[in-house]
Amino acid sequence: MKKIIAIVMTVLIAAFALTGCGGKDSVSETVNVAVLNGPTGMGAVQLTDMTDKYNVETYEAPTDIAPKLISGEVDVAALPSNMAAVLFNKTEGKIVAVTPLALGVLYIVGNDTDIDSLEDLNGRTVLSSGQGGTPEYALQKVLDNAGLTMGEDVTVEWLASHADVNQKLLAEPGTIAMVPEPFVSAATAGSENVKVLFDMNELWKDATGQDFPMGVLVATKDFADSRSADMEVLLGDLKASVDFVNEDSDEAAQLIVDKGFLGDAAMAKKAIPGCSLVCFTGDDQAAGIEMLKVFNKTMFEINPQAVGGKLPGDELYYTGN
């Protein structure tokens, strides 16, 4: 009996040691991860401390990440949602879209305005940044759904940056603007007269039947195919990180600042709910893929170049193994 117990204990200790070293939660080799500062990347904040698994680098612009992804220097990346299709087309299918990361971080806000419905925007001017990108096409879609034509019924004044939009918004009562988090939180904190008028996620959902994915996790097809076990470990860790940010806003906000995603913990805490951070895994994965499909189809219908000139088929989307 003592011998049997000793054998059992040896097996248990070995299993514990394996788990302690990573076990099924380890990766075969370091995963190179690129994320953007701000809402698109900050859901991955806990991965930055998992240096035994991930090499996480943060970047200011998608154009800084794209070449590294195409060359294979980066395995997975957090990017604006339309970039998945753009890079898929550019590389002839060597990129896959894995899961949405942030939903509808855009909001229409006003400084001391009398706007109660989208129809009230008729004859008005909206300030925004992001001409030629997702913000422009999203605004066009929701205005069309309300029976308004952008450029005719509603004038859009395109500025160089979200910071420029906020500066003018705060300085001029009566101004209407479309900005993302954390600029929404900055604007509402800067003046009690600035109020959120519309949530673009809700407007997009009214127009398309799906939530509005603003950020997406993409991977090289080579990584997804040859290191599928590592992909599943990554998704598990990313889901846990996203849940941590959403559920423990005080600790998460400070970590987000410490890791350089945002500059102020109080602002980060205020912005987190409006960032709608997500990670679709397991049984929820199909819902995330459907959301991306509707997004890409809508973008393509508005302007084919928004998704790289051609609407990708199912081969764009990672569905696991």
Side-chain angles (χ1 to χ4, degrees):
M1 177 63 71
K2 289 182 178 179
K3 186 174 182 180
I4 293 173
I5 292 173
I7 292 172
V8 171
M9 289 300 294
T10 300
V11 171
L12 290 174
I13 290 170
F16 178 79
L18 179 61
T19 302
C21 293
K24 69 177 182 178
D25 293 327
S26 63
V27 293
S28 61
E29 60 182 284
T30 301
V31 181
N32 294 312
V33 182
V35 299
L36 290 170
N37 283 329
T40 300
M42 71 188 195
V45 66
Q46 282 192 319
L47 271 62
T48 61
D49 285 331
M50 299 180 185
T51 54
D52 58 325
K53 299 181 186 180
Y54 311 112
N55 173 34
V56 181
E57 297 286 345
T58 59
Y59 297 86
E60 294 295 329
T63 50
D64 296 330
I65 296 176
K68 297 178 182 294
L69 195 64
I70 292 171
S71 70
E73 182 179 343
V74 165
D75 299 310
V76 297
L79 292 169
S81 289
N82 69 310
M83 289 293 291
V86 168
L87 292 175
F88 176 88
N89 284 323
K90 186 172 184 177
T91 62
E92 299 182 342
K94 295 180 181 179
I95 300 296
V96 292
V98 183
T99 174
L101 293 175
L103 308 181
V105 301
L106 282 172
Y107 296 82
I108 297 176
V109 298
N111 180 354
D112 192 22
T113 63
D114 56 356
I115 302 296
D116 296 316
S117 67
L118 274 182
E119 289 74 16
D120 291 337
L121 293 178
N122 196 353
R124 307 294 289 269
T125 295
V126 177
L127 305 182
S128 187
S129 180
Q131 185 176 22
T134 300
E136 178 180 359
Y137 305 135
L139 183 58
Q140 182 176 331
K141 180 64 178 179
V142 302
L143 290 177
D144 285 347
N145 192 55
L148 300 171
T149 300
M150 191 165 71
E152 296 180 10
D153 302 314
V154 181
T155 300
V156 182
E157 182 180 343
W158 297 103
L159 302 183
S161 70
H162 301 309
D164 290 340
V165 173
N166 262 18
Q167 184 177 8
K168 194 166 183 178
L169 170 69
L170 289 168
E172 300 178 8
T175 299
I176 305 162
M178 183 175 68
V179 287
E181 285 288 11
F183 293 92
V184 175
S185 293
T188 55
S191 171
E192 63 181 11
N193 293 324
V194 175
K195 308 293 184 185
V196 172
L197 303 176
F198 307 107
D199 179 342
M200 284 291 288
N201 188 61
E202 293 302 318
L203 297 178
W204 179 271
K205 196 170 184 178
D206 289 342
T208 69
Q210 285 285 343
D211 283 305
F212 182 24
M214 289 288 291
V216 64
L217 184 74
V218 302
T220 65
K221 192 172 189 305
D222 178 67
F223 175 80
D225 289 345
S226 65
R227 297 175 61 185
S228 57
D230 291 351
M231 174 71 88
E232 294 307 312
V233 173
L234 168 71
L235 287 174
D237 288 338
L238 180 59
K239 178 66 165 62
S241 181
V242 167
D243 289 345
F244 159 73
V245 174
N246 287 332
E247 295 168 6
D248 194 346
S249 58
D250 285 319
E251 186 177 349
Q254 188 57 57
L255 186 59
I256 284 168
V257 171
D258 291 344
K259 298 301 181 180
F261 287 95
L262 295 175
D264 179 81
M267 192 63 64
K269 181 179 178 180
K270 186 176 181 180
I272 285 170
C275 292
S276 303
L277 302 177
V278 295
C279 178
F280 291 85
T281 61
D283 293 339
D284 295 330
Q285 193 169 19
I289 295 302
E290 183 60 26
M291 193 184 303
L292 291 171
K293 286 182 177 180
V294 170
F295 170 84
N296 286 325
K297 182 175 183 291
T298 305
M299 291 289 109
F300 178 79
E301 290 171 349
I302 295 171
N303 184 345
Q305 292 308 311
V307 293
K310 180 181 178 182
L311 182 64
D314 290 345
E315 61 273 18
L316 167 63
Y317 305 98
Y318 173 81
T319 56
N321 294 280

